[in-house]
Amino acid sequence: MNVDRIVHSVAGTFIQASLALAHWHSPNWLWFTAFVGANLLQSGLTNWCLMSSILTKLGVPTTGACGVSGS
């Protein structure tokens, strides 16, 4: 697994979990969904993601399975 796949998987998991929590616990969990969405938007506009930087420093590969360079 590479950095991009991990970031997308974690973001998707956070969104699904916060939507479930908003449905079964409290609608205030939608603020967490909005926060994750805002971070995804910021990452798309600036091409910088804190989680990507941390994963890269931890040694997670930045290239895909076919050798295609990730961001």
Side-chain angles (χ1 to χ4, degrees), residues 6-55:
I6 292 172
V7 169
H8 290 125
S9 297
V10 170
T13 301
F14 281 173
I15 289 171
Q16 293 296 316
S18 64
L19 289 173
L21 286 165
H23 179 72
W24 284 301
H25 185 264
S26 168
N28 286 326
W29 281 100
L30 293 174
W31 288 107
F32 185 64
T33 308
F35 174 75
V36 173
N39 277 299
L40 288 170
L41 178 63
Q42 174 270 327
S43 174
L45 293 174
T46 64
N47 200 28
W48 180 81
C49 174
L50 178 61
M51 186 173 192
S52 294
S53 300
I54 292 170
L55 290 170

